[in-house]
Amino acid sequence: MTPRILVLAGSLRAASLNKMLAREAATLARAAGAEVTLIDLKDFPLPIYDGDVEVADGLPANARKLKDLFIAHHGIIVACPEYNAGMTAVLKNVIDWVSRQHGDESGTVPYEGKVVGLCSAAGGQFAGIRSMEAARNVLMNLGCLVVPKRLGIARANQAFDEAGRLKDPQLVTGLDAVVKQVVQVAGALHA
Ligand SMILES: Cc1cc2nc3c(=O)[nH]c(=O)nc-3n(C[C@H](O)[C@H](O)[C@H](O)COP(=O)(O)O)c2cc1C
């Protein structure tokens, strides 16, 4: 069975380093035999989660689209930017909206048994470890199987060339290890 892998970055900005990292991960996942969907969260604008909005209007259309995308894939690779030692509000907001019940469908359906790989391109010296830890906790709590391998890149503004490709082959190898683990586990689990 060909595993279907969704790839996204927790940043909206056009020049996002994590979007570059997500593109690299998507390329590696295709090479590893997965069917890959690479999305840009900028294409799915969402209000900050507000329970009153949910009660009045239900889930926003983009939250339903993201929920359907999560459900349609066996694994998810997330490039997690680090803001103030945590994950970005954009990423947490998406996770929160997608975790809400829709009709009869429980909020955890998009997450349960989903194989998740984490990577991070961070401006600082800690390589996004704190952002990935935060994402790992939240996603595991929702039922995701977060693979043990991960890749964090410190001072990532030096890490990509003008075409947005990773310059250091060791980082490509490290990212490939994360991607391959996701593809292998997702393939085995959903065979
Ligand atoms: C509000 C804010 C807080 C940040 N906090 C951290 C941090 O705690 N650790 C870190 O390594 N970089 C931090 N940075 C730098 C980001 O990692 C850097 O801007 C990175 O490129 C953002 O990801 P992006 O390029 O995908 O948008 C912060 C940036 C912003 C805007």
Side-chain angles (χ1 to χ4, degrees):
M1 200 248 355
T2 304
R4 290 190 297 278
I5 307 295
L6 182 67
V7 185
L8 58 94
S11 174
L12 299 180
R13 69 189 192 101
S16 161
L17 302 173
N18 286 279
K19 286 187 191 176
M20 294 178 197
L21 191 57
R23 273 196 296 275
E24 292 282 68
T27 302
L28 292 168
R30 282 190 197 101
E35 192 182 314
V36 176
T37 310
L38 173 64
I39 61 168
D40 184 340
L41 292 181
K42 191 105 170 173
D43 296 330
F44 301 85
L46 283 169
I48 287 288
Y49 178 78
D50 177 341
D52 293 338
V53 170
E54 186 184 7
V55 168
D57 305 326
L59 289 194
N62 281 335
R64 290 202 303 274
K65 280 185 198 164
L66 286 166
K67 216 169 162 50
D68 288 344
L69 275 168
F70 278 43
I71 290 168
H73 290 79
H74 305 112
I76 308 172
I77 295 172
V78 186
C80 307
E82 184 166 283
Y83 280 5
N84 297 313
M87 76 175 99
T88 56
V90 167
L91 181 57
K92 184 61 163 53
N93 195 45
V94 164
I95 293 171
D96 289 344
W97 272 118
V98 170
S99 75
R100 300 303 296 160
Q101 182 164 349
H102 180 54
D104 291 337
E105 185 185 276
S106 145
T108 55
V109 166
Y111 297 104
E112 275 160 18
K114 209 68 59 175
V115 181
V116 173
L118 300 175
C119 53
S120 179
Q125 61 178 324
F126 297 118
I129 290 293
R130 298 165 302 181
S131 168
M132 289 188 284
E133 279 301 311
R136 175 191 295 266
N137 281 343
V138 168
L139 290 167
M140 285 182 63
N141 191 59
L142 283 162
C144 292
L145 304 166
V146 182
V147 299
K149 285 202 187 293
R150 63 187 174 188
L151 175 76
I153 305 176
R155 298 184 187 88
N157 52 341
Q158 309 290 328
F160 296 88
D161 65 18
E162 281 177 10
R165 308 301 308 271
L166 278 171
K167 290 194 269 191
D168 182 347
Q170 280 190 329
L171 291 179
V172 177
T173 303
L175 184 61
D176 196 38
V178 178
V179 167
K180 282 208 174 94
Q181 208 164 45
V182 172
V183 173
Q184 281 165 5
V185 176
L189 207 62
H190 298 279

